[in-house]
Amino acid sequence: MQIVNFTPLASLFGGSLIGLAAVLLMAAIGRIMGATGILSAAVFAEDDRAWRWAILAGMVSGPGLYLLLTGNWPEITVPVSTLSLIVGGVLVGIGVSYGSGCTSGHGVCGLARLSPRSFAAVLTFMAATAITVYVVRHVVGG
């Protein structure tokens, strides 16, 4: 297998920005930056929604900022069918509901707080990922 898009500096920069944003949100208003929890409460909560919509707007406007800075849209290649994306999205949504959070909430923020529940969730995410990759590449042949 050949790695065609190895970007350690960009990845380090992006990961650092995610970590900084999580720390600033916790320091500023005492909230955890779990993306699915923010989205869910922005849509369904009755109060405390403004900061959630501001974060969501920042997430969505990222490609536009990239366009302004570079003159090009970010290149996105999705090597699976639309049906696979829909099925994957539904499965992730179910997992997020049962796991009480997503990888950003548990992996970035929960582990930083030494949360046992987040530690168990991240182990589950990683095991499920390893099994899925094995099945797709070696059993199904994708």
Side-chain angles (χ1 to χ4, degrees):
M1 181 172 115
Q2 180 181 5
I3 297 174
V4 293
N5 194 13
F6 182 61
T7 59
L9 293 179
S11 300
L12 177 64
F13 181 68
S16 297
L17 287 177
I18 291 170
L20 178 62
V23 167
L24 290 175
L25 185 63
M26 179 61 80
I29 62 174
R31 301 304 227 140
I32 295 172
M33 195 173 94
T36 54
I38 291 171
L39 175 61
S40 176
V43 174
F44 297 112
E46 294 184 18
D47 59 353
D48 198 28
R49 296 165 72 174
W51 70 268
R52 298 172 195 278
W53 282 108
I55 287 179
L56 293 170
M59 290 177 179
V60 171
S61 64
L65 178 60
Y66 185 88
L67 173 65
L68 288 174
L69 294 174
T70 67
N72 298 313
W73 285 103
E75 183 179 337
I76 299 173
T77 304
V78 182
V80 296
S81 68
T82 302
L83 178 62
S84 294
L85 288 174
I86 292 169
V87 170
V90 169
L91 290 174
V92 167
I94 292 168
V96 162
S97 296
Y98 283 113
S100 299
C102 61
T103 53
S104 63
H106 286 298
V108 175
C109 301
L111 290 181
R113 295 181 304 113
L114 303 176
S115 165
R117 183 174 80 168
S118 291
F119 183 73
V122 170
L123 286 178
T124 303
F125 298 155
M126 298 306 289
T129 301
I131 292 167
T132 301
V133 169
Y134 179 82
V135 168
V136 168
R137 289 194 178 164
H138 302 289
V139 177
V140 178

